[in-house]
Amino acid sequence: AAWKFDQYNNYVIATCRGAPAQYFELDGTGQFQDIGGEAGEGDTCGRIGPHFLIAQDRLLRISAFNNPLDYVPAPDTQAALVELDQRGGQCQAIIGGTDVGVIFQERMISRMAYTGGATAFQMDPVEFNQGALGPLAVARLGRLMFYASEHGIFMFDGSQSVPIGANKIDRHFGNNLNYTYRNRVSLAIDTERKCLMVAYPTGTNSDVTEMLIYSLPDQKWTRDEFTGQVLFEMPKEGVSLDDDAAVIAAVGTTNLDSSTVSI
């Protein structure tokens, strides 16, 4: 199982199947510590509005208002324990938002909106018989979410799923995926090259052995073979304007103006 990390203000929360949910305070001890209490274990996690969510199987633990370390259910704090729809299977990923997030189960995708009050969230299923293969099988780019499912690779815009692998790569993906280790499928966005990358184990391999690469501007696929564990995204390191070589590598010129650089 892979660790899933998300941030709530000054805290980094980490979850992994079979391990207690943990937190790291950015200006604190410098070590991860068990959250303890009602937080329990988690397969995945994420933030929606003023709450942090930890999911284990079909159980969704919602933190107290503006407190990602308190999971004792109580109406006055809005902390709660919610059981997800059995038809959807295990919760695979939580994609956060300011007021609305998306819950990916194995066979269901739902919108989860913060409404306030004693019942702080409203959950509305959007997609049935469609979901994510594992906790890392979802990647986000702005309002768009890309995910790998048992039916192929899709883009979800918050309202509906659009197939981006149909008649292109889905058959190859389905035929070569080692389904036993489907939880090791991982997706990541390369924002610099504008590509979606899908890494997965093939044949009898338990580790990742192949990567599918989707060009977002061209809407075309290619593939590559490699051995690894998981894909992950990280911010690009900052560039000093005094470092001419680094600036040229980043944007192609040292003559920077508003038409050259967009943020």
Side-chain angles (χ1 to χ4, degrees), residues 243-262:
D243 187 341
D244 289 348
V247 171
I248 291 173
V251 297
T253 179
T254 57
N255 184 22
L256 302 179
D257 57 31
S258 59
S259 64
T260 304
V261 181
S262 60

Side-chain angles (χ1 to χ4, degrees), residues 102-185:
V102 178
I103 305 296
F104 283 85
Q105 294 175 253
E106 294 174 290
R107 298 178 297 277
M108 186 177 293
I109 303 173
S110 303
R111 278 196 303 265
M112 191 169 181
Y114 177 70
T115 57
T119 304
F121 287 93
Q122 176 180 327
M123 187 172 296
D124 298 305
V126 178
E127 297 272 2
F128 294 92
N129 299 317
Q130 186 74 292
L133 285 171
L136 302 178
V138 183
R140 180 179 187 173
L141 180 62
R143 66 178 184 86
L144 301 177
M145 287 150 271
F146 300 86
Y147 67 97
S149 78
E150 293 191 0
H151 306 296
I153 302 170
F154 292 80
M155 178 182 70
F156 181 68
D157 64 4
S159 299
Q160 63 179 348
S161 293
V162 177
I164 60 173
N167 300 319
K168 296 179 181 179
I169 206 73
D170 283 352
R171 183 178 299 178
H172 174 87
F173 176 68
N175 289 343
N176 289 278
L177 170 67
N178 184 348
Y179 190 76
T180 302
Y181 292 94
R182 61 192 180 279
N183 65 307
R184 298 192 177 180
V185 175

Side-chain angles (χ1 to χ4, degrees), residues 39-75:
E41 298 180 1
D43 301 321
T44 189
C45 62
R47 176 180 181 172
I48 301 177
H51 294 268
F52 200 85
L53 287 70
I54 296 175
Q56 182 185 25
D57 197 8
R58 290 192 299 109
L59 292 178
L60 195 62
R61 295 179 175 90
I62 301 173
S63 79
F65 184 91
N66 203 30
N67 187 349
L69 305 183
D70 179 6
Y71 294 86
V72 178

Side-chain angles (χ1 to χ4, degrees), residues 10-11 23-31 33:
N10 208 38
Y11 294 99
Y23 75 97
F24 171 83
E25 194 169 1
L26 293 178
D27 59 357
T29 64
Q31 296 181 342
Q33 305 176 58

